[in-house]
Amino acid sequence: MMRRTFLSIAWLVALAVLIAGCSSSQQSVASSTNTVSADSQVNTILQKSCYQCHSTGGSAPWYAAVSPTYLAANSARGVLNFSDWQTYDAQKKSDALKSIEASVNGGSMPPGDYTALDHSARLTDDERQVLLKWASQPAIPAH
């Protein structure tokens, strides 16, 4: 009897932690990011699928943080950090957009080992097309 009670409590605690982790991860990403595009749809997609690894304020759900790709997130931020996007000059933005276009078009971003654990980061076909259209535009220099 005591063992059954303990297992029930342990199950409920694990479930509560899982729910809390899932619900809080997306909120923290969205609130700690800068606007990258004038298109709000692009910003929403980037926040959902990219900022966990490519933003200083990004944080993945705890269960996704075991993916090899996410464990290398600090190096991912070194390559492309959307938190610093507004400080990039036109050439750096242009290079980043070309890289984004190639990565999204090639299917390497977001990485499969990460999206296998964090399903919310997966891109739909429509989202992929929106990102590809945005990334194929020339970078506009800041005024």
Side-chain angles (χ1 to χ4, degrees):
M1 174 79 169
M2 187 172 191
R3 183 178 173 164
R4 248 170 93 194
T5 303
F6 175 76
L7 288 175
S8 296
I9 291 172
W11 177 252
L12 288 173
V13 169
L15 185 60
V17 168
L18 179 65
I19 290 169
C22 290
S23 65
S24 65
S25 66
Q26 292 302 316
Q27 292 171 352
S28 65
V29 171
S31 66
S32 63
T33 58
N34 295 325
T35 300
V36 173
S37 171
D39 184 339
S40 64
Q41 188 177 13
V42 169
N43 290 323
T44 299
I45 296 167
L46 293 174
Q47 289 172 0
K48 174 184 83 77
S49 298
C50 308
Y51 279 33
Q52 293 90 346
C53 298
H54 291 284
S55 170
T56 304
S59 62
W62 68 270
Y63 55 84
V66 298
S67 103
T69 299
Y70 186 76
L71 293 174
N74 283 332
S75 61
R77 288 181 191 104
V79 173
L80 173 62
N81 189 336
F82 287 114
S83 295
D84 297 336
W85 185 261
Q86 298 304 326
T87 67
Y88 288 5
D89 63 23
Q91 184 61 51
K92 189 167 183 177
K93 284 182 181 178
S94 179
D95 292 345
L97 289 170
K98 287 177 190 172
S99 178
I100 291 166
E101 183 179 17
S103 298
V104 170
N105 200 29
S108 63
M109 286 290 158
D113 69 323
Y114 181 78
T115 58
L117 297 169
D118 184 4
H119 297 246
S120 68
R122 291 180 181 166
L123 294 173
T124 66
D125 289 338
D126 288 343
E127 290 170 334
R128 188 177 318 293
Q129 291 308 311
V130 168
L131 285 182
L132 290 172
K133 181 180 177 189
W134 167 72
S136 69
Q137 305 288 325
I140 300 170
H143 292 83

